Amino acid sequence: MAICDYANQYVCDLVAYQTGKPIEETARELGIDAETIVKVASNENPLGPSPKAVEAMQEALKESHIYPDGGGYKLRTAIAEQQEVDIENVILGNGSNEIIELLCHSFLNPKAELIAAEHAFVVYKLMATLFGAKYVEVPDPGFIHDLEGMANAITEDTRLLFIANPNNPTGTLVKQAEIDAFMAKVPDHVVVVFDEAYFEFLHEPLDTIKFVKEGKNVVILRTCSKIHGLAALRIGYGIASKNVAAILQKARQPFNANAIAQAGALAALADEEHRLNTRDINDQGLAFYEAELPKLKIPYVKSYANFVMCDVGDGDFVFQEMLKRGVIVRAMRGYKLPGWVRISIGTPEQNVRVLEVLTEVLALRDSA
Ligand SMILES: Cc1ncc(COP(=O)(O)O)c(C=O)c1O
């Protein structure tokens, strides 16, 4: 008997999420020093963690024998103050990915539908599959979410609708006016999730928290994994209308956000200097790629986040060949874009190295 004859059918249907290739694994496979490898595959912060967060976490380590505050009082209070909402509007997650899962636990079943854009963050599809729900994919011309199309796709059975803004892996943004027009059309039985993992990289104002304040069925997801540089800690948060937040609180494990991560996040969210330095270096990196990719005749999608997705013709080939040269990018086959790769913005030195290696690999591709 095969395991899937008796395991949960929805789990058997899953294609496991492919993470960016780890540096240590690459170093082992290539037999080279991990220090020489550049990983630009997971949209991490090239400046590292907020130093203030590191200090706070070192202090918190001394209390590692005590269970965390399961209610996350200090961190949720700080987030509530920062966002001008009440603590009851805030939920913590083991990464914002966990809150995506909690949303699916809370709102999906095999009769329900989840709507997302065609090239949206892939975890939404994985989670819809895991809960046996119908995944409704709305085309996104030019890789930009079509909010009108998404509103038109809503049915009686729709429970969740995800807008990743900026979106991963495309880096595209939907603007405030479109969001406002869209929200006016959404019925109450649909929870709209604004996944804003890359929000802090934006320069344009974007206000989705106002929908929470208006009591609409919305959740805004943010993470400490990106601009705050705490990806290893697994800490993210959601700002939701109180009725939605209360359901999510029921669905979570008692100590889902660990104490070290809570302490780090608290310090990181207050570290304006690190946030602005990271955004500056990211702006420089985006400008670098916008100037250099056209010289290599590589089409790219204008990005509002900390990565750029570009059409290199054969994404798997470019990924493999760059890997051999110690640079880890992300191939986009999993997003039905086999010609593309996604490159995270690094430090200026890393960006130069990535471009050099990319240039070398493209020459190899053209001579093959
Ligand atoms: C759009 C988007 N949402 C959510 C996440 C999950 O982030 P985390 O679980 O690290 O908070 C990511 C990570 O890459 C992302 O790109």
Side-chain angles (χ1 to χ4, degrees), residues 21-37 323 326 328:
K21 197 168 170 67
I23 291 180
E24 290 295 338
E25 182 182 307
T26 308
R28 260 194 323 273
E29 286 172 10
L30 294 179
I32 61 173
D33 184 355
E35 294 283 312
T36 65
I37 293 174
L323 191 65
I328 316 172

Side-chain angles (χ1 to χ4, degrees), residues 42-292:
S42 301
N43 308 335
E44 293 146 344
N45 187 328
L47 295 183
S50 148
K52 292 189 175 130
V54 173
E55 206 179 304
M57 290 189 291
Q58 274 160 349
E59 211 33 54
L61 274 176
K62 295 178 190 156
E63 299 295 318
S64 300
H65 58 298
I66 312 276
Y67 278 101
D69 171 6
Y73 180 78
K74 276 194 195 158
L75 180 56
R76 285 171 65 224
T77 302
I79 293 167
E81 275 170 16
Q82 209 169 52
Q83 304 300 336
E84 298 175 350
V85 293
D86 295 331
I87 186 171
E88 294 82 9
N89 293 113
V90 183
I91 170 125
L92 304 181
N94 188 262
S96 53
N97 263 346
E98 192 202 17
I99 306 177
I100 298 173
E101 185 172 347
L102 296 180
L103 280 158
C104 295
H105 266 300
S106 305
F107 294 100
L108 296 188
N109 59 55
K111 280 193 291 197
E113 296 177 0
L114 180 157
I115 298 176
E118 189 180 354
H119 299 101
F121 184 46
V122 75
V123 168
Y124 315 146
K125 189 177 196 166
L126 297 183
M127 288 299 122
T129 308
L130 187 58
F131 289 88
K134 183 172 169 196
Y135 184 71
V136 180
E137 215 169 69
V138 177
D140 51 1
F143 297 118
I144 300 173
H145 280 48
D146 168 14
L147 292 196
E148 207 181 320
M150 292 176 84
N152 291 338
I154 292 173
T155 71
E156 287 280 289
D157 295 325
T158 307
R159 290 293 174 272
L160 294 173
L161 188 151
F162 280 81
I163 298 170
N165 204 31
N167 183 40
N168 174 17
T170 61
T172 51
L173 183 75
V174 278
K175 308 270 168 83
Q176 189 73 49
E178 291 160 68
I179 292 172
D180 291 346
F182 164 82
M183 283 302 292
K185 294 184 208 156
V186 179
D188 281 348
H189 68 273
V190 178
V191 177
V192 177
V193 186
F194 291 100
D195 184 345
E196 298 181 354
Y198 304 95
F199 176 85
E200 297 87 351
F201 291 100
L202 294 176
H203 285 270
E204 355 200 333
L206 192 66
D207 184 8
T208 46
I209 307 274
K210 69 178 180 185
F211 302 121
V212 172
K213 292 178 186 159
E214 288 167 12
K216 296 238 168 84
N217 276 341
V218 296
V219 183
I220 289 107
L221 299 181
R222 301 270 176 88
T223 180
C224 296
S225 300
K226 306 300 174 183
I227 210 155
H228 303 295
L230 300 181
L233 272 295
R234 313 305 304 124
I235 181 99
Y237 58 97
I239 302 150
S241 48
K242 287 184 187 171
N243 54 348
V244 173
I247 291 279
L248 298 178
Q249 293 287 8
K250 279 176 106 169
R252 71 175 174 83
Q253 290 282 330
F255 304 110
N256 63 328
N258 75 74
I260 315 302
Q262 287 188 40
L266 188 64
L269 290 175
D271 190 349
E272 194 66 356
E273 190 185 350
H274 186 259
R275 186 180 70 76
L276 290 175
N277 283 344
T278 306
R279 194 175 67 168
D280 279 353
I281 210 144
N282 192 61
D283 289 343
Q284 285 174 40
L286 283 173
F288 172 80
Y289 281 110
E290 284 176 12
E292 297 299 326

